[in-house]
């Protein structure tokens, strides 16, 4: 598969280098594409970063940098010539996965190539009292996988960026206007195509360095670079996005699944305090873990 990492913060370049190298070393990865979305970054900085990446590429999958002219969040889902694999791992520049979990998630995806497969779950609901859509974290169900770390089918890049006619164009504009919700829209795209929800997978170790709930090893300034670190109106804005997508599309295709209904590599032993997905689905005690037999495709 191809890994596509969205990068923006120069402060996070050391972390980006480490994360990109980890992906590059995975046996499941054929190439890594770093989309640099900060137009103000000096060319010299990116040239130096590219030289550093070339050192990893001598023994692992190649790492390429593509500088984006636009800061649009939609750009992470553009179909590109450099993305020539069926599976695409979309991730942020501050989410660190262990190699075993990368391979495990890819194997799960190969058995479910039309589903979104990822590590961070959220949910949606309709509030009858306010007659509005809600975006939330639910301890018993999920319907959205965040694209901070998700494996998708390459076809969905075209569906998101080029398909869907006028309604899809309007929804992409909603993403640009809100500077948010591109991950929710990708879940809409996949659910509408498959009439099925995403698949949640566990990990032996995953850390979201951009989550302010993590302490130590990273400065406050670095944690607050990401768009999602501004918590105040974050969930309301994303609920508003679901409402706007519903208005444009005329339906909400998201499909809900129950927790604990996820695939998990064995043994599952990550301490919750260092495992970002503990925030997402370890709010309950894990009583059952399914053993999964996956054949290579």
């Amino acid at each position: 598969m191809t890994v596509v990492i969205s990068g923006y913060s120069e402060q996070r370049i050391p972390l980006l280098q480490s994360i990109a190298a980890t992906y590059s070393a995975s046996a499941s990865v054929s190439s890594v594409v770093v989309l640099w979305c900060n137009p103000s970054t000096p060319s010299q900085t990116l040239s130096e970063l590219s030289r550093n990446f070339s050192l990893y590429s001598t023994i692992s999958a190649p790492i390429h940098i593509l500088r984006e002219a636009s800061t649009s969040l939609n750009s992470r889902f553009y179909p590109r010539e450099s993305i020539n694999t069926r599976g695409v791992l979309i991730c942020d520049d501050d989410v660190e996965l262990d190699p075993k979990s990368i391979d495990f998630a890819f194997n799960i995806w190969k058995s479910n190539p039309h589903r979104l497969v990822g590590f961070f779950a959220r949910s949606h609901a309709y509030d009858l009292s306010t007659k509005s859509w809600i975006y939330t974290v639910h301890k018993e169900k999920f319907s959205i996988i965040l694209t901070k770390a998700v494996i998708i089918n390459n076809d969905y890049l075209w569906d998101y960026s080029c398909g869907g006619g006028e309604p899809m164009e309007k929804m992409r504009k909603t993403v640009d206007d809100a500077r948010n919700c591109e991950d929710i829209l990708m879940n809409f795209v996949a659910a509408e195509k498959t009439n099925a929800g995403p698949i949640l997978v566990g990990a032996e170790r995953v850390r979201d360095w951009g989550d302010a709930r993590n302490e130590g090893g990273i400065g406050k300034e670095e944690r607050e670079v990401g768009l999602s670190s501004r918590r105040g109106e974050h969930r309301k804005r994303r609920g508003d996005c679901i409402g706007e997508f519903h208005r444009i599309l005329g339906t909400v295709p998201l499909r809900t699944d129950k927790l604990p209904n996820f695939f998990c590599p064995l043994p599952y032993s990550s301490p919750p305090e260092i495992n970002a997905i503990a925030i997402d689905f370890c709010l309950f005690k894990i009583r059952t873990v399914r053993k999964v037999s996956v054949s290579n495709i």
Side-chain angles (χ1 to χ4, degrees), residues 8 12 73 94 135 177-180 210-213 220-238:
Y8 184 90
R12 285 206 288 250
L73 295 176
D94 55 5
Y135 168 88
D177 291 345
R179 291 286 296 151
N180 206 326
D211 193 322
R213 289 166 293 194
K220 178 180 178 182
E221 297 81 4
E222 200 163 334
R223 290 200 306 269
E224 293 181 347
V225 169
L227 293 171
S228 298
S229 61
R230 299 188 289 273
R231 299 290 177 187
E233 290 294 308
H234 180 63
R235 290 189 183 181
K236 181 182 183 303
R237 290 169 62 197
R238 288 167 71 80

Side-chain angles (χ1 to χ4, degrees), residues 124-134:
H124 77 294
Y126 190 74
D127 188 334
L128 292 174
S129 63
T130 62
K131 296 183 179 179
S132 61
W133 288 100
I134 299 170

Side-chain angles (χ1 to χ4, degrees), residues 132-148:
S132 61
W133 288 100
I134 299 170
Y135 168 88
T136 187
V137 179
H138 200 288
K139 66 180 180 179
E140 296 180 353
K141 61 184 181 179
F142 68 98
S143 57
I144 296 168
I145 289 291
L146 301 188
T147 56
K148 62 172 67 182

Side-chain angles (χ1 to χ4, degrees), residues 139-140 258-262 284-288 290:
K139 66 180 180 179
E140 296 180 353
K258 293 182 179 180
L259 289 170
N261 185 16
F262 61 92
F284 53 88
K285 294 181 179 180
I286 299 174
R287 296 183 177 89
T288 304
R290 293 189 219 163

